[in-house]
């Protein structure tokens, strides 16, 4: 199964991290300034960030996702302003964290938490029982609770993309409370994750068919439902699963040389590139131009390459110093190269 990818996302070319707190008086002005900088140095016009919710700390997930009417208006004003300027926005969420410090946990969260064989609550990235975050076991039940928190932000705030962190990245956990989570047996982590994503997208996409979705790391089962993975894509995955895509690169600020090399790799795989625009602010004019040209080329060619099959360098004998890949379509071959 291959998910529907909106036309705008097929031609996006790349993503950058950015965007201010949307609930400050100068949010639109600052957001447009970041968009202009990202375009100037990289050609990228999609900004990904967490500025849509207040109290930017994991200690209150998912309570902080429930925006007030004023917050929803602020978010929509911001996303509309970026779109009017030709940009796009992405909202960060973390669906594999549930705070034990909120009333929600006692009301229903405890029943959705992942537990070990002794019934003790399991945690995500923090191996301590003093940390407030627990790990909800993914599935349809948790998806419905997650939607209660984020649906308003997505439908009224209208980001162009929704990011669901940690999915595809957190190792599978045995389910020692399958009856509580609506599962048949102990080993349904991936199936539960698929159910989670299916429930979320089934609720949002009929209302927002232009919404793009992405998760943290590649997972063939999960990428039947979402458009992209954030980290970890590579040529082997592209070859084996040619209809699944990831972002090439990192959200970290890297050297201009590494940013350019990342853009070149993305050109060769037909996937969008991730470059933090700060990586290129102090780059030379030639480096900035090279990245802009690659992103512009990808915005033109990536939609066409999606109709072909990535074959890596199969059947090619490139000249010395030239790196090539090939995409096969019935009676047509597309060759990408960099030197």
């Amino acid at each position: 199964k291959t998910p529907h990818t909106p036309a705008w996302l097929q031609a996006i070319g790349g993503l950058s991290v950015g965007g201010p707190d949307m609930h400050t008086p100068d949010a639109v002005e600052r957001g447009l300034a970041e968009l202009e900088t990202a375009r100037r140095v990289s050609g990228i016009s999609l900004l990904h960030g967490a500025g849509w919710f207040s109290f930017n700390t994991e200690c209150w997930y998912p309570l902080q996702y429930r925006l007030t009417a004023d917050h929803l208006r602020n978010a929509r004003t911001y996303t509309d302003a970026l779109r009017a300027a030709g940009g796009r926005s992405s909202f960060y969420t973390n669906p594999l964290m549930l705070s034990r410090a909120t009333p929600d946990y006692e009301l229903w969260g405890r029943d959705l938490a992942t537990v070990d064989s002794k019934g003790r609550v399991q945690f995500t990235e923090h191996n301590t029982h003093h940390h407030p975050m627990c790990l909800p076991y993914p599935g349809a039940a948790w998806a419905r609770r997650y939607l209660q928190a984020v649906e308003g932000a997505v439908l009224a705030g209208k980001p162009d993309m929704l990011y669901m962190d940690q999915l595809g990245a957190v190792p599978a956990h045995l389910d020692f409370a399958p009856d509580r989570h609506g599962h048949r047996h102990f080993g349904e982590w991936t199936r539960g994750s698929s159910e989670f994503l299916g429930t979320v997208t089934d609720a949002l996409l009929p209302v927002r068919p232009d919404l793009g979705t992405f998760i943290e790391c590649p997972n063939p089962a999960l990428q039947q439902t979402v458009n992209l993975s954030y980290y970890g894509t590579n040529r082997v995955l592209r070859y084996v699963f040619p209809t699944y895509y990831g972002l090439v690169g990192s959200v970290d600020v890297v050297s201009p040389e590494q940013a350019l090399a990342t853009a070149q790799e993305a050109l060769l795989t037909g996937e969008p590139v991730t470059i933090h625009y700060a990586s290129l602010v102090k780059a030379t004019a030639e480096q900035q131009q090279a990245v802009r040209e690659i992103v512009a080329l990808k915005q033109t060619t990536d939609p066409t390459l999606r109709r072909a099959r990535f074959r890596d360098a199969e059947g090619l004998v490139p000249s010395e110093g030239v790196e090539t890949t090939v995409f096969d379509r019935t009676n047509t071959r597309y060759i990408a190269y960099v030197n």
Side-chain angles (χ1 to χ4, degrees), residues 18-198:
D21 181 339
M22 297 178 191
H23 310 302
T24 56
D26 60 347
V28 169
E29 180 182 352
R30 291 169 59 199
L32 291 177
E34 286 195 59
L35 174 64
E36 190 279 330
T37 301
R39 278 176 163 167
R40 175 174 55 82
V41 301
S42 69
I44 292 172
S45 58
L46 170 60
L47 297 182
H48 170 59
W52 65 277
F53 57 80
S54 298
F55 308 110
N56 190 357
T57 169
E58 61 196 23
C59 295
W60 302 108
Y61 292 162
L63 187 64
Q64 68 202 91
Y65 293 163
R66 296 192 177 98
L67 303 187
T68 66
D70 284 340
H71 283 161
L72 287 171
R73 279 191 288 270
N74 292 342
R76 181 61 174 269
T77 298
Y78 174 86
T79 61
D80 280 351
L82 254 63
R83 271 187 295 273
R88 299 281 181 172
S89 63
S90 169
F91 281 8
Y92 171 97
T93 67
N94 192 328
L96 288 186
M97 280 192 178
L98 175 61
S99 175
R100 297 184 297 146
T102 67
D104 288 348
Y105 183 73
E106 293 302 328
L107 289 172
W108 49 262
R110 186 184 297 274
D111 288 338
L112 295 179
T114 302
V115 297
D116 64 14
S117 60
K118 296 181 180 180
R120 295 175 299 191
V121 171
Q122 295 293 287
F123 300 86
T124 49
E125 299 172 335
H126 310 279
N127 187 24
T128 168
H129 284 225
H130 300 291
H131 196 277
M133 305 309 299
C134 73
L135 177 65
Y137 207 92
W142 168 232
R144 289 189 288 270
R145 291 294 187 179
Y146 169 83
L147 280 165
Q148 289 176 1
V150 305
E151 189 170 20
V154 172
L155 299 185
K158 206 173 181 182
D160 297 288
M161 293 201 76
L162 174 65
Y163 174 59
M164 291 167 279
D165 200 15
Q166 294 196 295
L167 286 166
V170 172
H173 285 63
L174 291 177
D175 187 0
F176 289 102
D179 293 339
R180 189 188 307 169
H181 299 140
H183 295 152
R184 294 171 296 182
H185 53 74
F186 296 99
E188 296 205 10
W189 181 266
T190 299
R191 179 175 176 272
S193 299
S194 296
E195 281 186 349
F196 175 90
L197 289 170

